[in-house]
Amino acid sequence: MTKSIAGVDIPDGVMAQAATDLIRGTESELMFHHALRAFLFGALTGYREHLTFDAELLYVGAMFHNVGLNVKYQRSAYRFEVDGANAARDFLRQHVVADGAIQEVWEAIALHTTPGIPEHMSPVVALLSAGVQMDVRGARYNEFTAQERDEIVQAWPRESDFKKKIIEVYARGMEHRPETTFASVNADVLDRWDPDYRRLNFCGLVLGSDWPN
């Protein structure tokens, strides 16, 4: 693997290599490349904002952030983010990582699709979300230089029609557990993907509850 891209060194310690091998062997090339780009955009955000963060923890978070979409979790009743966070926690425990660091990665993965919260938390939590949001929906796109974007995409390409393909990956990873999309951006995915999906409405749940008034 390339050692440095767009001025960001790719973690290559034993734990990072193990994470790379695991994710490369279990996820599609589209999602593996997405994970790498998310790490790079997240790290660049950290450098630009002068944040102090553990690059290896951010890397592991990026590797695992979409694991919960895999077929292994088709029977899961959890949000896919929680499945990914739990998988990362198990992996980090195998590598004897401190409990505080494990919790930080867990939170980063669990909250990476929750806008408005991660940026107020620890750097790893904030930067994983920033990296993912940049690669998926172009959040803060113009805060990265054209050279940075080009180097990253050249190293880890976005497949043709990436936008539509990643929406499909999200949808297929959640279509069996639509109730987990309540109050999250995931509801938008199933709303577009599944014509029979009906999103839950918070106001409807309040007004329709068993409370008499």
Side-chain angles (χ1 to χ4, degrees), residues 50-113:
H50 306 291
L51 298 178
T52 300
F53 63 96
D54 187 315
E56 191 166 37
L57 291 182
L58 178 61
Y59 184 82
V60 171
M63 286 291 104
F64 277 86
H65 81 277
N66 278 330
V67 162
L69 295 169
N70 291 352
V71 66
K72 174 182 177 180
Y73 299 99
Q74 280 191 343
R75 296 183 182 276
S76 173
Y78 297 136
R79 283 178 57 149
F80 86 86
E81 302 94 329
V82 172
D83 285 325
N86 289 344
R89 180 175 59 197
D90 293 342
F91 171 85
L92 291 167
R93 283 175 175 168
Q94 292 173 6
H95 290 269
V96 198
V97 174
D99 289 345
I102 292 175
Q103 183 63 23
E104 188 176 16
V105 174
W106 193 97
E107 291 172 355
I109 297 172
L111 293 171
H112 80 268
T113 61

Side-chain angles (χ1 to χ4, degrees), residues 79 81 113-115 174 180-189 197 199:
R79 283 178 57 149
E81 302 94 329
T113 61
T114 306
M174 295 183 291
T180 67
T181 66
F182 171 59
S184 78
V185 297
N186 298 332
D188 296 336
V189 174
Y197 172 72
R199 67 169 73 216

Side-chain angles (χ1 to χ4, degrees), residues 5-159:
I5 300 170
V8 178
D9 292 333
I10 307 296
D12 61 356
V14 172
M15 184 170 73
Q17 289 180 359
T20 301
D21 293 342
L22 177 62
I23 302 306
R24 177 182 274 156
T26 56
E27 291 202 349
S28 66
E29 185 175 83
L30 180 142
M31 297 306 282
F32 178 61
H33 286 186
H34 161 57
L36 287 160
R37 294 194 305 269
F39 163 73
L40 291 166
F41 287 126
L44 283 173
T45 300
Y47 297 161
R48 186 173 62 242
E49 298 182 356
H50 306 291
L51 298 178
T52 300
F53 63 96
D54 187 315
E56 191 166 37
L57 291 182
L58 178 61
Y59 184 82
V60 171
M63 286 291 104
F64 277 86
H65 81 277
N66 278 330
V67 162
L69 295 169
N70 291 352
V71 66
K72 174 182 177 180
Y73 299 99
Q74 280 191 343
R75 296 183 182 276
S76 173
Y78 297 136
R79 283 178 57 149
F80 86 86
E81 302 94 329
V82 172
D83 285 325
N86 289 344
R89 180 175 59 197
D90 293 342
F91 171 85
L92 291 167
R93 283 175 175 168
Q94 292 173 6
H95 290 269
V96 198
V97 174
D99 289 345
I102 292 175
Q103 183 63 23
E104 188 176 16
V105 174
W106 193 97
E107 291 172 355
I109 297 172
L111 293 171
H112 80 268
T113 61
T114 306
I117 302 293
E119 58 261 40
H120 301 288
M121 299 181 69
S122 73
V124 168
V125 178
L127 297 178
L128 179 59
S129 177
V132 171
Q133 298 306 319
M134 165 57 182
D135 195 54
V136 174
R137 63 182 183 87
R140 303 172 68 178
Y141 183 88
N142 290 317
E143 293 183 21
F144 299 87
T145 67
Q147 182 176 349
E148 289 171 339
R149 296 193 301 263
D150 290 346
E151 283 189 35
I152 290 171
V153 172
Q154 183 176 4
W156 306 112
R158 291 169 65 94
E159 289 188 15

